[in-house]
Amino acid sequence: MGIDTRAAACTSCSKRLTRKSWYYRNGKYFCKRRCFETEQAKLAEAGKEAAKTA
Ligand SMILES: [Zn+2]
């Protein structure tokens, strides 16, 4: 944790985020749009699995 309270690493690939290059979506931080899409796909898959087993 630094001075900022914002996340310091990409939610998807855990790459460190620099001050000006980060991408904020749905309360999470990513290093680039591609990582956001990857994470969304992952969550969609998890949601599908949960729906199946529930
Ligand atoms: Zn990333």
Side-chain angles (χ1 to χ4, degrees):
M1 283 295 179
I3 298 158
D4 285 312
T5 51
R6 90 162 75 101
C10 174
T11 303
S12 182
C13 71
S14 298
K15 187 179 165 183
R16 271 176 65 104
L17 301 174
T18 55
R19 214 172 212 285
K20 51 175 151 179
S21 73
W22 51 273
Y23 193 86
Y24 181 71
R25 276 292 182 281
N26 296 342
K28 290 173 183 169
Y29 299 86
F30 304 92
C31 62
K32 54 185 182 281
R33 212 180 107 103
R34 180 88 185 131
C35 277
F36 164 66
E37 288 168 358
T38 301
E39 188 69 8
Q40 286 299 106
K42 224 191 292 174
L43 289 176
E45 278 302 309
K48 256 187 272 173
E49 287 302 311
K52 244 188 276 175
T53 51

